[in-house]
């Protein structure tokens, strides 16, 4: 009688292996548990996505209430346009920094949205600024410039020679130019210089790191112009508390976000510094609340008087147009 297929030890091992293969094919092992989306993992993914969306669109929207307030009052006094300057320069530099160190996409989108919104806010501030007096221009400059205010009967008041809301005269009237076109020209030159340096030095790690520190260092000084303006005026009238609340909440969220996302060191250090300045401005708001309330009431009365004057001018224009020809 011939031995069975599994009679010998060697044949027995082969048979066992064959049986194991058959069992594996008929009953494959379950995939790793990590491939199944658990409720906890889904919630964390959703929270991370919402945090990224908030990081992208939240900071630009902080200034929406300030913009609406300026449009409603037709007066930008109390808000420092240096804030717009800091944000524009910082976010342009941050985008160039992204070319060398690809940080989160949400932060890149935030920079693009912030640039667009701050350009709109800057234009609105200049249009309704009570302190900017246009300088004499050549025909080519006039074609490049945009009007700051509506053309009324009386001329605009000159820029005060003493330090005021924008910090007084500066060398070359830096960031105190009379037309929106001057600001666009400077920002275009800033962008061109950064891109030129990137083409030459972009392969060096120290240059990329330096760009990051410049971008985040500029952004960390964002509250400082408003801090100085509040100190000089001894009042926060015209500055929206919603902006301050947005700074405090946004910078707190941003600081936590940077640490959780393991963002570059530049982001962490600068966000902590910026948050500390926010708390100083909060202290100013508490200390100067009486003066702020007084100036706000006076400003509201002035706005009502200017609105009445505009109505009188419009009525006079209508009467003159309807008069005998």
């Amino acid at each position: 009688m011939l031995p069975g297929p599994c009679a010998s030890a060697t044949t027995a091992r082969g048979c066992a292996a064959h049986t194991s293969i058959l069992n594996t094919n008929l009953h494959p092992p379950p995939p790793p548990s990590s491939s199944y989306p658990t409720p906890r993992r889904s919630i964390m993914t959703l929270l991370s996505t919402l945090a990224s969306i908030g990081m992208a669109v939240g900071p630009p929207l902080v200034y929406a209430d300030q913009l609406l307030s300026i449009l409603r009052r037709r007066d930008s006094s109390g808000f420092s346009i240096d804030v717009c300057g800091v944000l524009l320069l910082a976010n342009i530099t941050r985008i160039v920094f992204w070319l060398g160190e690809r940080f989160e996409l949400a932060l890149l989108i935030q920079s693009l949205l912030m640039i667009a919104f701050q350009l709109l806010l800057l234009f609105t501030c200049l249009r309704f600024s009570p302190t900017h007096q246009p300088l004499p221009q050549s025909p080519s400059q006039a074609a490049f410039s945009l009007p700051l205010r509506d053309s009324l009967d009386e001329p605009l008041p000159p820029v005060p020679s003493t330090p005021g809301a924008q910090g007084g005269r500066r060398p070359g009237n830096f960031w105190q130019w009379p037309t929106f076109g001057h600001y666009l020209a400077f920002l275009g030159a800033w962008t061109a210089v950064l891109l030129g340096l990137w083409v030459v030095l972009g392969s060096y790690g120290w240059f990329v790191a330096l760009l990051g520190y410049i971008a985040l260092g500029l952004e960390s000084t964002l509250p400082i112009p408003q801090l100085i303006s509040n100190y000089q005026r001894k009042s926060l009238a015209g500055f929206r508390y919603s902006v301050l609340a947005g700074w405090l909440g946004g910078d707190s969220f941003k600081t936590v976000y940077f640490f959780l996302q393991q963002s570059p060191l530049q982001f962490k250090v600068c966000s902590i510094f910026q948050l500390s300045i926010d708390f100083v401005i909060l202290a100013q708001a508490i200390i100067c609340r009486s003066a702020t309330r007084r100036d706000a009431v006076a400003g509201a009365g002035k706005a009502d008087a200017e609105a009445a004057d505009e109505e009188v001018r419009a009525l006079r224009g209508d009467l003159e147009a309807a008069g005998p020809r």
Side-chain angles (χ1 to χ4, degrees):
M1 181 176 179
L2 297 173
C6 297
S8 65
T10 303
T11 307
R13 286 194 296 268
C15 184
H18 180 68
T19 304
S20 176
I21 292 174
L22 289 177
N23 291 335
T24 302
N25 292 334
L26 293 176
H27 304 286
S33 59
S34 60
S35 63
Y36 288 110
T38 62
R40 180 178 180 182
R41 185 174 295 106
S42 300
I43 293 175
M44 295 302 296
T45 301
L46 176 62
L47 292 177
S48 177
T49 302
L50 293 177
S52 297
I53 295 174
M55 179 61 66
V57 303
L61 291 180
V62 167
Y63 300 91
D65 186 51
Q66 183 71 58
L67 176 64
L68 294 176
S69 174
I70 293 173
L71 291 172
R72 184 171 55 250
R73 296 184 295 114
R74 299 179 65 84
D75 184 2
S76 62
S77 59
F79 179 75
S80 174
I81 62 171
D82 291 341
V83 172
C84 300
V86 169
L87 284 172
L88 287 168
L89 295 178
N91 283 279
I92 290 173
T93 308
R94 187 200 284 185
I95 291 175
V96 180
F97 172 54
W98 181 83
L99 297 176
E101 182 155 348
R102 302 300 175 90
F103 48 79
E104 293 84 0
L105 181 62
L107 297 178
L108 177 64
I109 297 175
Q110 178 199 105
S111 293
L112 295 172
L113 294 176
M114 184 66 79
I115 290 173
F117 201 93
Q118 290 304 315
L119 286 174
L120 176 61
L121 181 58
L122 175 62
F123 174 79
T124 305
C125 289
L126 294 174
R127 177 172 170 76
F128 297 113
S129 172
T131 58
H132 276 75
Q133 172 66 39
L135 300 176
Q137 299 176 340
S138 63
S140 60
Q141 290 175 322
F144 182 61
S145 303
L146 294 174
L148 301 184
R149 293 178 63 102
D150 298 332
S151 57
L152 305 178
D153 294 342
E154 68 275 9
L156 289 170
V159 178
S161 58
T162 57
Q166 304 300 335
R169 291 288 188 181
R170 300 170 184 170
N173 289 327
F174 180 74
W175 211 255
Q176 293 178 326
W177 302 305
T179 63
F180 187 63
H182 287 78
Y183 296 86
L184 291 181
F186 174 77
L187 293 173
W190 176 266
T191 304
V193 169
L194 288 179
L195 290 177
L197 291 174
W198 165 256
V199 171
V200 177
L201 303 173
S203 59
Y204 295 95
W206 63 266
F207 175 75
V208 175
L210 180 62
L211 277 179
Y213 279 110
I214 292 175
L216 278 302
L218 283 172
E219 186 174 348
S220 67
T221 65
L222 167 64
I224 293 180
Q226 191 64 49
L227 176 74
I228 297 174
S229 176
N230 297 340
Y231 175 77
Q232 292 173 340
R233 299 167 57 240
K234 301 296 187 292
S235 170
L236 277 72
F239 176 66
R240 301 293 293 177
Y241 286 124
S242 60
V243 175
L244 177 58
W247 283 353
L248 286 167
D251 291 339
S252 299
F253 173 80
K254 183 170 60 177
T255 302
V256 175
Y257 179 87
F258 288 157
F259 278 92
L260 292 180
Q261 294 293 330
Q262 297 298 319
S263 298
L265 179 63
Q266 296 97 321
F267 287 88
K268 301 175 184 177
V269 173
C270 295
S271 64
I272 293 175
F273 174 78
Q274 189 171 349
L275 184 60
S276 65
I277 302 299
D278 295 342
F279 279 105
V280 176
I281 295 180
L282 176 62
Q284 284 183 326
I286 297 173
I287 295 172
C288 302
R289 59 183 180 276
S290 298
T292 300
R293 190 180 304 111
R294 181 190 66 239
D295 293 346
V297 171
K302 179 182 176 182
D304 293 339
E306 289 179 352
D309 290 342
E310 289 184 7
E311 292 180 0
V312 171
R313 293 191 200 98
L315 179 60
R316 184 176 60 191
D318 293 340
L319 292 175
E320 292 176 353
R325 298 183 180 179

